[in-house]
Amino acid sequence: MFFFPRGGKFKYEFQKGKPWQYDNFYAPFDFSINKGEAEINSEKEKIRAGRVDYYDYDTKVAKEVDSIIQIEITQIFDDVDFSDLQIRQFQQVAKEMVEELYNNGILSKVGRPSNRNSLYLLKNNEAKKLRINNIYKLSDVSLVVENTLAKKKLTKFEPEFQQLFFNAIKPNLSFNEDLSNKELEAEFSKISYSLGNIDEGKLIIAKGEVVEEEDLRVLESLKSEYESKLWGKNNQYYVLIGYTILVAMVLTMLFLFLKKYRLEVFQDNTKITFIVVNILLMVFATTIIVKYNEGLVFVVPLCILPLILKTFFDARLGLFVHVLTVLILGFVVPNSFEYIFLQTLAGIVTILSVSELYKRANLFISVGQITLIYIVGYFAFHMIHEGNIDNIQWMAFGFFLLNGMITLFVQPLIYVFEKIFGLVSDVSLLEMSDTNSKLLKELSNRAPGTFHHSLQVANLAEAAANEIGANAMLVRVGALYHDIGKMNNPTYFTENQITNVNPHDDLDPLESGKIIIDHVIQGIEIARKNNVPDRVIDFIRTHHGTSMVYYFYKKQKALQEEIGGEVNEEDFRYPGPAPFSRETAILMMADSVEAASKSLKNPSFLVINDFVEKIVNGQIAENQFLNANITFKEIETIKKVLKQKLINIYHLRVEYPE
């Protein structure tokens, strides 16, 4: 509300070249027809072109130069056999030259006004208008000396006089900037900003009449007067209340949408703040540009908003927030219908075109499409308004290109938002997926078997995610980091045991189960210590869900049957939580299938099929996917991908005869 324009909103919408859609419109009060900004600027330019500047005349310079020349003449001709009478004659001639030169003053080359025919000379507190031709400049000094000596028939002494005057003469006129500017402002104040008056009750435009140039000028003048009258002391609060209600309605739609369709975002204050801050930044940038110059409104890269929101959330939320922001800006911008139309289309194109923003080519292609939409839309609107393409403003296309160039800066902006709000984008996920990163390098050195297992799980999970349209990059990174907790005790996990010695043989099943379960907790601690984002830590927490370490549970149960007593199942159950998204559910399936596949002795198509079905169906029976937004159809698709991948891993093919 603080950034909104201070004034009411004219209740009629109109555009040049379109019919007046309302009833006959009569002037509601007396008002003036305002000149356009271009007309006023043109008049100002004419005044500037015809201005007469003021110059100060320094009398001291003329006296000083005369004194110096009189002394120098005595010294120059003293060595030559001249009588006192002749020297006095030379001095008199020099005096006449000085008086001639400084009669109206001498201008320096730098201070000479360009493209001016005259100036005002300020001498003894009086301003006298003179033509520029009547003012000497330094280059004219030699000519004055030559002409004067020719009249006096002293041309044989010209070299001495020329040298004397060249050294002594200096300009004495200086530009009076303060007085010149005051005179210019005085002339500007005489400009009339209106072309006439319209009396109350006069018909302005009839229903169905096309809005022509003159009609547009009258309507815009009335609109300006009407909106300024609304912002009075008595009714400004009503206008503010009206604005507040409308903006509140828009933001209410946002929160209702989040509560109904994006509950996890609605319940996260950081994410809510992030969305609202982005809306505020766009409103702020647009209002600042509109106040500076309305013609630059399309320079504001509004499509950065859906780009960023799609990067951190999803396409549907990005488009919804973009449309709501455009609706809010409809109160601020001129020609709100055109603005809303073009920006909504550009937002839709942004959402439809941008995928995998971490690929640089995709961003350039998307920005190109956005810019094309702006250009084509502007071209169409111009033809509607003008009925031709003669007066098209080519500069507008430059603004659209500038908009596209600024939109390319979304990448560093995403990085800034990640650091401020603790969010993670696909660009960061791509960096984390590099197996040469510090944490993954440490995992490969300390637990090579686990590292290889993680790579295999990442390949399985990524393929499954691509098949059902989940976030493949997020799943891959989650798979690479899901078992980093095994670094603390690598030899207690079979994939890292390179000898037949199993350290679990020396431990009771309860202690062994605790070591296995603790790799989840330790993995979370390691991840947080290395600043791994929470979205990736979620995979560490959920990749076993609330399942049981069944091998050591059965071993403990058999032991308890011999000595008597009950086995507490909770001692052998992972703390959870169960997967709560499609991505974490995919990882649980891929992890369990890949780990258990190592126990297959003679894998075949039938064996792998039954094996995958048994593991995934067992997880469904244990309600591991109850909180995940994944369907049975998607689970079946994931099963097919896992089966096919395992078949490829084990190279099942026809045996060739020896």
Side-chain angles (χ1 to χ4, degrees):
M1 293 306 304
F2 177 79
F3 298 122
F4 269 22
R6 293 292 182 264
K9 196 75 175 174
F10 194 53
K11 55 185 175 182
Y12 300 108
E13 287 287 338
F14 54 88
Q15 290 178 340
K16 183 183 176 183
K18 294 185 70 176
W20 181 256
Q21 300 173 350
Y22 312 97
D23 292 333
N24 293 353
F25 187 40
Y26 299 90
F29 47 77
D30 296 340
F31 67 94
S32 301
I33 303 173
N34 298 328
K35 290 181 181 178
E37 189 175 344
E39 289 178 279
I40 294 171
N41 289 336
S42 176
E43 290 186 29
K44 286 185 176 180
E45 285 302 318
K46 287 181 181 178
I47 291 173
R48 284 195 184 94
R51 67 187 283 189
V52 179
D53 292 327
Y54 285 80
Y55 284 80
D56 291 318
Y57 182 96
D58 191 347
T59 55
K60 292 180 181 178
V61 173
K63 293 178 180 178
E64 181 183 335
V65 170
D66 183 56
S67 176
I68 291 172
I69 287 176
Q70 294 298 322
I71 295 171
E72 290 291 331
I73 285 177
T74 305
Q75 294 176 352
I76 290 173
F77 295 105
D78 188 44
D79 297 335
V80 188
D81 189 16
F82 286 109
S83 65
D84 292 341
L85 181 62
Q86 286 177 310
I87 291 176
R88 283 197 294 272
Q89 183 186 4
F90 292 151
Q91 288 176 330
Q92 183 61 33
V93 171
K95 192 174 189 65
E96 290 176 9
M97 291 183 191
V98 172
E99 288 176 355
E100 170 68 17
L101 288 169
Y102 284 103
N103 182 37
N104 293 326
I106 299 175
L107 267 175
S108 67
K109 187 176 181 181
V110 177
R112 191 173 182 80
S114 59
N115 302 323
R116 297 282 191 274
N117 294 323
S118 55
L119 55 77
Y120 280 111
L121 186 65
L122 288 172
K123 187 176 181 181
N124 299 323
N125 294 324
E126 291 184 5
K128 181 181 178 182
K129 190 174 182 179
L130 297 173
R131 294 186 62 81
I132 289 292
N133 296 336
N134 296 330
I135 305 293
Y136 286 118
K137 51 185 184 291
L138 287 175
S139 58
D140 297 329
V141 173
S142 61
L143 186 61
V144 172
V145 171
E146 181 183 343
N147 292 338
T148 305
L149 292 176
K151 289 178 184 178
K152 301 293 184 180
K153 298 180 180 180
L154 297 172
T155 52
K156 64 179 180 178
F157 302 110
E158 185 178 334
E160 289 83 357
F161 275 91
Q162 289 286 10
Q163 183 65 37
L164 172 64
F165 274 75
F166 179 81
N167 294 331
I169 293 295
K170 55 185 178 181
N172 71 326
L173 297 186
S174 59
F175 177 57
N176 190 321
E177 184 177 5
D178 185 52
L179 190 56
S180 298
N181 288 339
K182 284 181 180 178
E183 187 69 18
L184 184 63
E185 291 300 324
E187 291 297 318
F188 284 166
S189 66
K190 297 176 184 178
I191 295 175
S192 174
Y193 287 81
S194 65
L195 292 171
N197 296 318
I198 298 291
D199 296 328
E200 181 179 352
K202 182 180 179 181
L203 177 65
I204 294 177
I205 192 167
K207 184 176 181 180
E209 185 180 341
V210 175
V211 179
E212 301 291 351
E213 183 71 37
E214 289 302 317
D215 300 321
L216 184 66
R217 188 196 297 268
V218 173
L219 287 169
E220 286 182 341
S221 299
L222 175 58
K223 178 182 178 182
S224 176
E225 186 74 16
Y226 184 85
E227 290 179 349
S228 64
K229 281 180 176 291
L230 273 180
W231 196 257
K233 290 183 178 179
N234 297 329
N235 51 12
Q236 61 177 312
Y237 297 109
Y238 289 103
V239 175
L240 279 173
I241 291 169
Y243 273 140
T244 304
I245 292 171
L246 292 174
V247 173
M249 288 171 64
V250 172
L251 294 178
T252 301
M253 295 304 105
L254 171 61
F255 284 100
L256 289 176
F257 173 85
L258 293 175
K259 187 173 183 181
K260 187 171 179 62
Y261 298 106
R262 299 292 183 273
L263 189 60
E264 73 280 1
V265 176
F266 182 78
Q267 293 173 341
D268 190 325
N269 286 339
T270 301
K271 292 177 179 177
I272 289 285
T273 305
F274 173 72
I275 293 171
V276 174
V277 163
N278 273 280
I279 294 174
L280 186 62
L281 285 175
M282 289 303 159
V283 174
F284 172 72
T286 305
T287 50
I288 291 297
I289 290 295
V290 168
K291 287 178 181 178
Y292 174 71
N293 187 344
E294 290 182 354
L296 301 176
V297 66
F298 282 103
V299 173
V300 180
L302 201 65
C303 288
I304 281 181
L305 182 61
L307 271 173
I308 289 175
L309 293 179
K310 185 180 179 182
T311 299
F312 289 111
F313 302 109
D314 60 85
R316 189 176 179 186
L317 177 58
L319 181 59
F320 193 84
V321 173
H322 175 75
V323 171
L324 292 182
T325 306
V326 170
L327 289 177
I328 292 174
L329 290 174
F331 299 117
V332 179
V333 298
N335 297 327
S336 54
F337 171 75
E338 292 181 20
Y339 182 84
I340 292 172
F341 183 89
L342 283 177
Q343 293 291 12
T344 302
L345 276 186
I348 292 171
V349 169
T350 303
I351 293 298
L352 293 177
S353 62
V354 174
S355 59
E356 299 177 327
L357 192 61
Y358 55 86
K359 295 181 180 178
R360 288 172 294 179
N362 289 359
L363 179 59
F364 280 98
I365 292 169
S366 178
V367 168
Q369 292 173 340
I370 293 167
T371 306
L372 182 63
I373 285 293
Y374 281 135
I375 291 174
V376 172
Y378 171 80
F379 192 74
F381 274 117
H382 180 83
M383 288 191 291
I384 292 172
H385 295 163
E386 301 292 337
N388 56 58
I389 58 172
D390 297 338
N391 300 320
I392 196 164
Q393 297 291 326
W394 297 106
M395 184 62 72
F397 297 130
F399 295 153
F400 296 139
L401 293 173
L402 181 59
N403 181 305
M405 291 176 63
I406 298 173
T407 305
L408 292 174
F409 283 90
V410 69
Q411 290 282 25
L413 196 59
I414 287 172
Y415 177 79
V416 171
F417 281 140
E418 283 182 330
K419 297 305 178 185
I420 294 175
F421 293 95
L423 301 172
V424 59
S425 68
D426 284 352
V427 180
S428 294
L429 291 175
L430 181 65
E431 293 174 356
M432 293 182 65
S433 67
D434 183 7
T435 53
N436 287 317
S437 64
K438 179 184 174 183
L439 198 53
L440 292 180
K441 199 76 174 175
E442 188 178 357
L443 177 64
S444 67
N445 291 332
R446 295 173 60 178
T450 299
F451 177 71
H452 183 264
H453 159 72
S454 297
L455 287 175
Q456 294 281 49
V457 173
N459 292 332
L460 292 174
E462 184 178 23
N466 280 322
E467 198 67 28
I468 68 169
N471 190 332
M473 180 61 70
L474 179 61
V475 172
R476 180 172 185 81
V477 174
L480 290 173
Y481 288 84
H482 79 283
D483 268 344
I484 56 174
K486 292 181 180 180
M487 285 193 294
N488 289 349
N489 297 297
T491 56
Y492 285 88
F493 299 91
T494 54
E495 66 265 26
N496 299 310
Q497 294 170 1
I498 56 177
T499 64
N500 292 328
V501 178
N502 189 342
H504 288 289
D505 295 339
D506 299 327
L507 302 175
D508 61 79
L510 189 63
E511 192 173 352
S512 294
K514 186 177 185 308
I515 291 173
I516 298 298
I517 291 170
D518 280 351
H519 88 272
V520 173
I521 305 299
Q522 292 169 359
I524 295 171
E525 292 174 355
I526 292 171
R528 284 183 174 155
K529 191 180 294 183
N530 287 272
N531 298 317
V532 175
D534 287 339
R535 286 180 75 187
V536 178
I537 292 177
D538 287 340
F539 288 89
I540 302 173
R541 294 165 57 211
T542 61
H543 73 278
H544 286 296
T546 55
S547 61
M548 187 181 291
V549 186
Y550 201 70
Y551 175 81
F552 291 111
Y553 168 72
K554 294 294 288 184
K555 194 173 180 181
Q556 180 68 17
K557 194 172 183 180
L559 188 63
Q560 289 296 122
E561 286 176 357
E562 293 179 7
I563 62 175
E566 293 292 327
V567 179
N568 186 1
E569 288 188 8
E570 296 303 316
D571 292 337
F572 295 90
R573 194 173 292 279
Y574 285 97
F580 46 77
S581 66
R582 290 194 299 173
E583 288 78 14
T584 51
I586 290 169
L587 177 63
M588 172 178 267
M589 288 183 259
D591 180 45
S592 300
V593 166
E594 202 286 329
S597 68
K598 296 294 191 293
S599 62
L600 294 175
K601 302 298 182 190
N602 297 304
S604 65
F605 292 103
L606 187 60
V607 169
I608 288 176
N609 182 74
D610 294 341
F611 165 76
V612 173
E613 290 287 341
K614 179 183 177 183
I615 289 179
V616 176
N617 290 340
Q619 291 172 337
I620 295 173
E622 292 180 357
N623 296 324
Q624 294 298 328
F625 307 133
L626 205 59
N627 297 327
N629 57 337
I630 192 168
T631 65
F632 283 116
K633 183 179 180 181
E634 289 171 338
I635 291 175
E636 289 301 317
T637 303
I638 293 168
K639 285 181 186 177
K640 290 179 184 178
V641 173
L642 294 177
K643 292 171 188 175
Q644 187 60 48
K645 284 290 181 182
L646 285 179
I647 289 169
N648 294 338
I649 289 171
Y650 287 105
H651 303 289
L652 297 181
R653 56 189 176 186
V654 177
E655 293 185 9
Y656 296 98
E658 296 182 2

